[in-house]
Amino acid sequence: MFRQAIALDIGSRSTKIAVKNKKSTFRPNREAFDGIYSEASCIAAQKGLKGEYLFGNEALDSYAELAFPVQEGAAANSRLLTVFIRRLCAKYCEGRSISKLELNIAMSKSLGVMKNRNLQRALETTGAKSIAFHDASLMAAIGAGMDVMSEKASMLVNIGAETLRTAVVANGGVLFESCIGGAGNSVTRELIQLFKNKYGLVIGSGMAEEIKLNLSRPAFVVDGRDLFTGMPRTITAYHDEVASVTDAMADEVTECIIDAVKALQVDAAADIADTGIMLVGGGAKLYGLEEKLRAKLKLPVTLAENAETAVIDGMNSCIFEDNRGICSWNIGYALEEVMAE
């Protein structure tokens, strides 16, 4: 019998969705039977032209005031998160009732007990038929093509919009995991401050994001508001003038990796020199970051080809491709485990 199932990787700024038996629009060239989609993790604060509250990509493109139900990987507003998930399910499951759906959610145990409980409560109020939780770090490792069943430990660094997660996997499980705030948003703040101090130009977070994505270009046009007159102003910025923002991210990631290696047993730490470090997450695609980490750490550092979708790809494989036994974990047991630590 056809299982009505949907998998969600709910991030602070974007949510990735995998739906059984649907073609992908997020990656048109992907030859798989399960669709992979991406939606902005936001809801418009006011109604649109049709008298409805916009959500996801439509809300992001509307220039409306936005509410973000997820912050730093955790549920910041449980009620809005419930509405957001219900709207996602209605959109991508062809209007099927959520009471007939099986929700699969990526969750990080490093967030702590209270944040995981808040997320659990928000999901329970959606009215889904069943909810299964999957270890986000293990899912990302599988999606990135790492050999999680190997006896040798390997490290995964997930650089998101608001969180930086470091995990070490071996023997089909996670040996160590840590999570700190900052990550991609710290680069956005660095860029905003740089243009304010150097050019007297105030730019928005959207413009900063566009600059981050185009750091490899020799020059780019930047639109903003003059700091002193308040009038619109456009300038041309050059790569050499803003490339320093990558250094701040590299320093932050390097420090996090060093702390993780120090927390490992000696044998596991030694394995990292052979197996290397895998970078995933949208922030990992920052131009020049991979090379700078390799130079700082003197270790093999690799950017996953599917860095942005590694978590949902791992869930897609384990949930919809007959590998369900490997990664689903009971939320009650997981919370008790975190509490004991």
Side-chain angles (χ1 to χ4, degrees), residues 316-327:
N316 197 26
S317 172
C318 294
I319 298 165
F320 299 146
E321 296 177 9
D322 300 326
N323 296 318
R324 290 182 58 81
I326 189 170
C327 298

Side-chain angles (χ1 to χ4, degrees), residues 137-157:
S137 294
L138 203 54
M139 293 289 100
I142 294 170
M146 297 173 66
D147 184 7
V148 298
M149 303 306 294
S150 172
E151 294 182 357
K152 279 195 169 185
S154 52
M155 181 175 288
L156 176 89
V157 179

Side-chain angles (χ1 to χ4, degrees), residues 66-104:
L66 302 177
F68 293 89
V70 176
Q71 293 180 8
E72 295 188 358
N77 187 315
S78 297
R79 184 181 64 83
L80 284 181
L81 181 57
T82 299
V83 173
F84 179 70
I85 292 174
R86 291 177 68 93
R87 295 289 296 273
L88 282 179
C89 292
K91 178 176 180 178
Y92 289 101
C93 295
E94 301 175 351
R96 293 190 182 97
S97 172
I98 194 171
S99 62
K100 298 180 180 179
L101 289 178
E102 174 188 308
L103 289 183
N104 294 273

Side-chain angles (χ1 to χ4, degrees), residues 29-50:
N29 297 327
R30 187 171 184 271
E31 296 179 359
F33 62 86
D34 294 312
I36 302 291
Y37 307 88
S38 180
E39 288 279 353
S41 300
C42 60
I43 296 178
Q46 62 263 17
K47 293 182 178 180
L49 296 175
K50 296 181 180 180

Side-chain angles (χ1 to χ4, degrees), residues 238-293:
Y238 297 91
H239 171 79
D240 294 341
E241 297 172 320
V242 298
S244 60
V245 297
T246 311
D247 296 331
M249 171 67 86
D251 291 339
E252 185 178 5
V253 176
T254 298
E255 184 178 348
C256 192
I257 290 173
I258 291 173
D259 290 341
V261 173
K262 288 180 178 178
L264 295 174
Q265 294 181 354
V266 177
D267 291 340
D271 288 341
I272 306 299
D274 295 326
T275 57
I277 299 167
M278 180 70 75
L279 302 180
V280 299
K285 298 167 68 177
L286 186 67
Y287 179 75
L289 179 62
E290 181 184 355
E291 291 77 11
K292 290 183 179 181
L293 288 176

Side-chain angles (χ1 to χ4, degrees), residues 166-182:
T166 307
V168 178
V169 298
N171 296 316
V174 178
L175 301 180
F176 171 84
E177 186 176 6
S178 66
C179 179
I180 63 172

